[in-house]
Amino acid sequence: WLLCGEEPRRRPAHQFPIAGLCGLNPCYCSGGLEAIPMEKVPVPLLGSEPLPDELIPDLVACCPKTVWIELTSACPFDCVFCSRKHERGSGQHMSFPLCESLIRQLHRPEVIRLNYSGESLHYPHLSDAIRLARGTGATTELVSALGSATQAAIESLVDAGLHRLSVSIHSMDAAQFRVIYGRGDISDIRDRLDYLRQYETERASKYPEIDFAFVAMHENLSQLLPVVEYARTLGVTHVSIDPVIRRGAAPLRFPHEL
């Protein structure tokens, strides 16, 4: 049930589509797939019919432990390193029944990340998706630029119990922020992080834990230390430094990075 009608072939684990490829909304998984001969992966019986008992051991053996589910391929930002707009256009939301089906098919996942290239805080069923993912026993994570999120969306992260929120911050400089993100201001992220901390306190919740994700480019390296200093003021203890990854066409060529 990890096949989408594609001709079986070996691919990087993080690019393997889960059952349910839906137009502009593919879902991705990673895990032990590389060690499993593709001919051994059983074809899914999607629908309400129970699986034959003889298929269950093979299904369990090939289930991924870390799963990315792209709740939406829409995003209000147009980051210079992101191929989302070229690949997805204006984007669309995944239907919630499909999201529910994907999560219910998983067997003891360890990590479920509820995003890929879109901005999941604009997904209309975000809190329900988080609760479903948590119900599997997995650690739930989400990456967000955060600057366009509503207060209701931020509250849903706390109320639904998301375990970890990675906030994409690539510059503290206002002018450079607009160049990198294509819109907005660093104050948009600051205000929303302040509200998130406030709401966590009001609800006496330790979740979500927050970390920062910094995409390192030639033009913004001088902003790494200001981002780390800002993390320190919020009590954020982890800042990941990520390279530019070419997943498709992006606005810039990145001659220094690629």
Side-chain angles (χ1 to χ4, degrees):
W1 57 283
L2 297 176
L3 299 180
C4 304
E6 291 194 358
E7 180 180 349
R9 61 185 183 276
R10 300 178 73 83
R11 342 176 35 169
H14 71 280
Q15 295 179 358
F16 198 98
I18 298 178
L21 188 68
C22 57
L24 297 177
N25 289 83
C27 306
Y28 295 84
C29 69
S30 72
L33 294 174
E34 289 297 310
I36 300 169
M38 294 304 302
E39 62 270 14
K40 298 292 186 181
V41 180
V43 175
L45 296 177
L46 298 178
S48 58
E49 295 183 7
L51 289 169
D53 290 344
E54 63 269 19
L55 283 184
I56 292 177
D58 286 336
L59 284 171
V60 171
C62 71
C63 280
K65 296 303 180 184
T66 300
V67 182
W68 282 261
I69 299 178
E70 186 174 63
L71 298 177
T72 181
S73 54
C75 180
F77 294 103
D78 190 16
C79 295
V80 294
F81 51 78
C82 184
S83 61
R84 183 206 62 81
K85 186 175 182 180
H86 176 81
E87 302 288 339
R88 310 285 210 277
S90 58
Q92 66 184 56
H93 298 318
M94 175 182 283
S95 73
F96 186 68
L98 176 58
C99 174
E100 186 175 26
S101 174
L102 288 169
I103 292 175
R104 294 198 185 285
Q105 289 179 71
L106 299 174
H107 181 78
R108 298 179 182 174
E110 296 174 0
V111 180
I112 298 178
R113 297 190 175 110
L114 295 171
N115 69 280
Y116 189 62
S117 62
E119 177 52 82
S120 292
L121 268 76
H122 289 277
Y123 185 62
H125 310 287
L126 179 59
S127 59
D128 292 330
I130 294 171
R131 289 187 175 96
L132 273 174
R134 274 195 64 119
T136 67
T139 298
T140 54
E141 301 180 355
L142 190 153
V143 180
S144 172
L146 197 66
S148 63
T150 65
Q151 286 191 351
I154 292 170
E155 291 169 5
S156 72
L157 302 179
V158 179
D159 294 338
L162 181 78
H163 289 103
R164 177 171 293 277
L165 174 68
S166 294
V167 182
S168 297
I169 301 185
H170 316 302
S171 180
M172 300 302 296
D173 178 79
Q176 189 176 61
F177 184 99
R178 286 189 292 275
V179 171
I180 292 174
Y181 290 78
R183 59 158 286 182
D185 190 87
I186 185 60
S187 63
D188 299 330
I189 295 180
R190 286 179 178 270
D191 292 345
R192 285 158 177 81
L193 280 170
D194 289 345
Y195 183 74
L196 175 57
R197 286 300 202 201
Q198 173 190 326
Y199 192 73
E200 283 180 323
T201 301
E202 291 175 1
R203 302 290 289 178
S205 174
K206 63 179 182 179
Y207 295 121
E209 296 181 359
I210 300 170
D211 63 54
F212 286 177
F214 179 90
V215 173
M217 299 172 283
H218 179 75
E219 300 299 328
N220 73 333
L221 280 181
S222 64
Q223 287 296 302
L224 177 57
L225 287 181
V227 168
V228 171
E229 288 298 325
Y230 176 50
R232 184 177 290 117
T233 66
L234 289 178
V236 172
T237 59
H238 182 84
V239 178
S240 64
I241 303 173
D242 303 314
V244 174
I245 300 175
R246 179 71 76 193
R247 293 192 178 98
L252 298 182
R253 295 182 60 86
F254 295 102
H256 298 284
E257 295 84 357
L258 298 174

